[in-house]
Each structure stands twice: as structure tokens, then as C-alpha cells.
């Protein structure tokens, strides 16, 4: 799906994704005499008609719909975060979106919403982000999970199954799932797709049959490593339930974060295209490097590359100079981390290995630096010497040698997990 494909009809004439990224959530600014979206930092709002306010609060408690008129209280709704929600829903081709304080807060709200109607069983495909895996497997919210591969989803579904969860491309192996086929296997059970790695620039899961789309907005949607948030894109019926859960549990997105995320969306297509082109080229070169055992790069493209080294991965982490050895991903600068030590440390070692997260696997989030500078840094970190330009090299998952245009979418202590 290329960047210029047209979104379904919305409140405005059909527009390309790049246009929506710039204008969605801002359609009313000109009428307000504004160019930049305002930031509303109020926690509460005055109301001199307490009877009418009581009716509005009752209506929200019953329906979960965003209240008409001025806001009531920041935990219920906020105009700035509302703009981000509107924009993200448009980019994901959904009726609504609900924003949260983090990606994990968003997933928690989804699980609580399904549990509230008696559907506590979840079917999930590994690998998932390590904290998502832990939240499901530890039963912290009273949920029960059945782990399976995509072919076993239909058989794993029970009468009390409330959700099927996949992440594609997956963190950190970049394994891909056929969303359309999985959605068919789910039947009437909602399919949730974690779309953090792909973003709506590379895939829109709802158009392929998914019912719920999850993002750690901290990553590509924000894009600059300076804001934390999560968001769920879905239909309005489920969004209304999520708003009630958010109001009760308090996992709200701060208005400043909502502002930064809305601003981040405006450059999302450009950033994803540019970073994806560099990632595809780096994957191609890594696949020809004799110091690299295997390269993982998804068919869909994107700015994430994972690779397994023959040597000590910890030495690679310690040796990078331009690339930042840090958790998280999706920023304008390139980051590298060792999943078995950090993002997936909290996952049981046997389950981690079974899902392809080996001890020599490194995950790299490619940013916007010049690809030659990134390659020079990788080469010296892998063991020094001149950059490798050819050779038999590594085994490759997917096709890292695909063109840059195609890749761009023409993405000692207690165990801890960080995406």
C-alpha cells in the first residue's frame, strides 16, 4: 500500500494519506482564526448550570460518547487530545480512536473492556512486545491467554474468547502475519493488530479485516523520542466503552503529549518513507556481511531491521558511536538494542527462544541519518575493518534487497521489558 493511496470517505472529500497526515484534526483551525493547533491544559472547566452538567455526565456514564458542548473534566475529555484522536482515526480508516498515557495503558484498557462483558480469554500469536506478552501471560488483569500460531487461531477460540491479538511486523523478529487470513479465522471475535512498527503509512489493518488497531504512539507517531502515549483505533461502539474505562482508571493522555503527537502525524509519511529506504539498504548490506548470521526484514518494508551476529552482540551494543544504544524505536535518530536483555527480558527464556528471539539477535530502529554514516558505524561496531560490499553473507528472512522505494511503502537485576 503506497503512501499516496486514497483513504475512504470522511468528513472531507477523499484525500491522500500524506494530505490527511497534515490536515486531519485541524479542519476547523481556519474558522477559529488559527494556524497551529492550540493546547488546552485545563484540568477542569466552569459550568453554571449544574443540572445540565449532571445530565451530560449521566449521558457519558451510559453511552461513553464524547460530550457535546464544552469539556467537563480532563479525565473525561480534552480538546487537544481529541484532535489527535480524530486525526489518527482518519489515518487508520476507523470511525474513532481513543488515546491513553502509554501503549501499555491502551492495551490494558482493551483487555479490561472485553473482560467487563465477561470475555476474559485471549488468543495471541508470538512474538509480541515483551510487556504485552507479560501482561497476557501473567494474568495480572484476570485474563487467560492461549498462545498459538496463525494456523491454530480458529481452533483456539472458545465461547469466552474476547480478543485475538497479533503484532505484525512483530517485535523484534519482524515476522509478518497475513492479517486478512487471520481476520477470517477469528470469525466474530475481534482481531486486534498492534500496528506500531508498520504505522498507517505501510498498512491499515482495519481495511484487511481487523477490528481494533493498537499503537504505542511513543514510537513513530510521535517520532522524536520526546513524548509517551498510546492509542486504539476502532469503531465508535468499542471506543465508547474504552472512554468509560479510561475515565474510571485514569490512564489519560496529557494534552501536551496530544499536541506533540498531532504534530508528529504531520510528518509521519515523510519520516517513514525516508527511514524505510535507509533500512532496506542497510538490510541488504548486512545480508552480505560475513559477520552477520541472519537478517530479518519484512516484506512490507519499514524502518526496523533485526539481525543475528556470529560474535558477541553485547560488544556490538558497546561499540556503536553514531547509533544510540537505547530502548524504544521510531525516532529520527537510529537506535539499537539487544531484545533478550531488555525489551523481551521479561518473557520466559524458553518462550522467547521458541518465538525466534535468540540471544544473538539485535534490533535496530533506523532513523534519518545518512545511510553511509550509519553503515560505517555498524561496520566498526561489528568488529572493525572496511565496510563489506559483497560476498555470500548471511541468510535473510524476507527480502532485504528489495528497492528502497518498495521498502518505503511506495517500518544484573529483576527482569524488565521496554519496547
Amino acid at each position: 500500500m503506497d503512501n499516496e493511496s486514497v483513504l475512504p470517505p470522511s468528513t472531507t472529500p477523499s484525500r491522500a494519506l500524506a494530505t490527511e497526515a497534515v490536515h486531519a484534526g485541524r479542519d476547523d483551525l481556519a474558522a477559529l482564526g488559527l494556524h497551529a493547533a492550540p493546547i488546552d491544559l485545563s484540568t477542569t472547566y466552569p459550568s453554571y448550570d449544574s443540572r445540565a452538567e449532571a445530565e451530560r455526565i449521566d449521558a457519558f456514564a451510559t453511552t461513553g460518547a464524547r460530550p457535546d458542548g464544552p469539556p467537563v473534566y480532563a479525565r473525561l475529555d480534552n480538546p487537544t487530545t481529541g484532535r489527535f484522536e480524530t486525526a489518527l482515526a482518519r489515518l487508520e480508516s476507523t470511525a474513532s480512536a481513543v488515546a491513553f498515557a502509554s501503549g501499555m495503558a491502551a492495551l490494558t484498557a482493551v483487555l479490561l473492556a472485553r473482560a467487563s462483558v465477561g470475555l476474559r480469554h485471549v488468543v495471541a500469536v508470538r512474538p509480541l512486545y515483551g510487556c504485552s506478552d507479560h501482561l497476557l501471560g501473567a494474568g495480572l488483569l484476570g485474563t487467560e491467554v492461549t498462545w498459538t500460531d496463525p494456523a491454530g487461531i480458529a481452533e483456539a477460540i472458545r465461547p469466552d474468547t474476547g480478543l485475538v491479538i497479533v503484532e505484525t511486523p512483530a517485535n523484534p523478529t519482524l515476522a509478518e502475519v497475513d492479517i486478512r487470513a487471520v481476520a477470517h479465522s477469528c470469525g466474530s471475535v475481534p482481531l486486534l493488530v498492534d500496528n506500531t512498527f508498520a504505522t498507517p503509512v505501510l498498512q491499515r489493518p482495519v481495511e484487511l479485516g481487523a477490528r481494533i488497531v493498537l499503537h504505542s504512539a511513543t514510537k513513530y507517531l510521535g517520532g522524536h523520542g520526546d513524548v509517551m502515549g498510546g492509542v486504539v483505533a476502532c469503531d465508535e461502539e468499542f471506543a465508547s466503552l474504552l472512554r468509560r474505562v479510561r475515565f474510571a482508571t485514569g490512564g489519560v493522555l496529557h494534552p501536551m503529549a496530544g499536541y506533540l503527537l498531532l504534530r508528529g502525524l504531520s510528518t509521519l509519511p515523510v519520516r517513514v518513507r525516508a527511514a524505510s529506504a535507509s533500512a532496506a539498504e542497510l538490510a541488504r548490506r548486512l545480508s552480505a556481511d560475513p559477520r552477520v548470521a541472519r537478517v530479518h526484514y519484512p516484506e512490507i518494508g519499514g524502518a526496523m531491521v533485526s539481525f543475528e551476529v556470529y560474535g558477541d552482540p553485547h560488544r556490538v551494543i558497546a561499540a556503536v558511536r553514531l547509533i544510540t544504544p537505547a530502548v524504544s524505536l521510531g525516532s529520527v535518530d537510529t537506535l539499537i538494542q539487544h531484545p533478550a536483555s531488555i525489551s523481551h527480558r521479561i518473557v520466559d527464556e524458553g518462550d522467547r527462544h521458541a518465538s525466534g528471539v535468540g540471544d544473538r539477535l539485535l534490533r535496530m530502529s533506523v532513523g534519518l541519518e545518512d545511510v553511509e554514516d550509519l553503515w560505517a558505524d555498524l561496520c566498526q561496531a561489528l568488529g572493525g575493518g572496511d565496510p563489506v560490499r559483497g560476498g555470500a553473507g548471511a541468510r535473510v528472512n524476507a527480502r532485504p534487497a528489495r528497492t528502497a522505494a518498495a521498502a518505503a511503502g511506495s517500518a544484573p537485576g529483576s527482569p524488565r521489558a521496554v519496547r
Side-chain angles (χ1 to χ4, degrees):
M1 180 180 299
D2 70 33
N3 179 61
E4 296 303 320
S5 57
V6 175
L7 294 172
S10 61
T11 56
T12 60
S14 295
R15 303 189 295 202
L17 178 67
T19 304
E20 286 284 21
V22 173
H23 291 280
R26 305 166 179 85
D27 303 278
D28 63 331
L29 293 183
L32 295 173
L34 299 173
H35 181 246
I39 307 173
D40 187 333
L41 295 174
S42 295
T43 57
T44 192
Y45 300 85
S47 174
Y48 295 93
D49 188 343
S50 56
R51 291 185 178 88
E53 202 75 332
E55 291 176 0
R56 291 209 299 155
I57 292 173
D58 286 347
F60 176 81
T62 302
T63 68
R66 296 178 67 180
D68 294 328
V72 178
Y73 184 55
R75 186 153 47 85
L76 190 152
D77 195 25
N78 173 274
T80 304
T81 60
R83 288 182 180 277
F84 166 64
E85 291 170 334
T86 297
L88 193 278
R90 294 260 281 273
L91 294 184
E92 282 288 8
S93 305
T94 60
S96 301
V98 184
F100 296 86
S102 68
M104 289 309 300
L107 178 58
T108 296
V110 172
L111 295 173
L112 290 176
R114 298 305 285 160
S116 72
V117 294
L119 301 173
R120 296 180 176 274
H121 179 244
V122 176
V123 175
V125 176
R126 281 186 171 124
L128 294 175
Y129 165 48
C131 272
S132 300
D133 189 304
H134 178 67
L135 182 63
L136 294 172
L140 294 173
L141 301 178
T143 54
E144 178 188 351
V145 62
T146 297
W147 298 102
T148 185
D149 58 26
I153 287 174
E155 185 178 350
I157 289 174
R158 309 185 324 206
D160 63 337
T161 302
L163 202 63
V164 175
I165 300 179
V166 302
E167 182 176 8
T168 181
N171 185 354
T173 66
L174 304 179
E176 295 174 277
V177 170
D178 184 334
I179 297 174
R180 196 183 300 278
V182 167
H184 179 75
S185 298
C186 291
S188 62
V189 177
L191 170 63
L192 180 151
V193 174
D194 187 329
N195 203 33
T196 298
F197 278 20
T199 80
V201 176
L202 298 180
Q203 72 183 9
R204 295 170 209 136
V206 168
E207 295 178 0
L208 301 173
R211 299 257 297 276
I212 304 167
V213 181
L214 174 74
H215 285 272
S216 173
T218 309
K219 312 310 189 293
Y220 288 103
L221 304 189
H224 293 75
D226 57 4
V227 60
M228 183 169 286
V231 63
V232 179
C234 55
D235 60 31
E236 175 56 26
E237 180 181 4
F238 192 60
S240 67
L241 183 54
L242 288 176
R243 293 188 196 103
R244 292 159 67 191
V245 171
R246 182 178 64 182
F247 179 71
T249 59
V252 295
L253 183 72
H254 191 276
M256 182 62 73
Y259 169 81
L260 290 172
L261 290 171
L262 180 66
R263 187 175 69 169
L265 291 184
S266 63
T267 60
L268 178 66
V270 176
R271 287 187 285 104
V272 170
R273 284 202 309 270
S276 297
S278 293
E281 177 61 17
L282 291 175
R284 184 187 69 80
R285 296 186 187 188
L286 285 167
S287 70
D289 194 309
R291 297 165 294 187
V292 176
R294 191 178 188 93
V295 176
H296 305 262
Y297 188 71
E299 293 279 349
I300 200 172
M304 300 298 299
V305 180
S306 292
F307 57 99
E308 302 165 37
V309 296
Y310 286 114
D312 183 354
H314 301 285
R315 289 191 175 184
V316 178
I317 294 291
V320 291
R321 294 295 178 264
L322 175 64
I323 298 168
T324 302
V327 301
S328 200
L329 56 104
S331 185
V332 291
D333 59 322
T334 300
L335 309 177
I336 193 168
Q337 65 112 333
H338 182 240
S341 295
I342 305 180
S343 64
H344 289 69
R345 185 68 176 177
I346 205 166
V347 179
D348 176 82
E349 184 178 11
D351 293 332
R352 192 167 67 231
H353 288 169
S355 62
V357 186
D359 293 337
R360 295 184 182 274
L361 181 72
L362 294 169
R363 189 196 73 186
M364 184 168 60
S365 168
V366 180
L368 301 182
E369 302 95 337
D370 187 276
V371 70
E372 297 298 339
D373 292 327
L374 292 173
W375 180 237
D377 193 34
L378 275 176
C379 280
Q380 66 82 24
L382 284 166
D386 295 330
V388 177
R389 299 295 182 183
R395 294 178 295 162
V396 185
N397 279 1
R399 294 183 296 181
R402 65 210 302 253
T403 66
S410 10
S414 299
R416 60 196 179 107
V418 189
R419 192 185 284 264

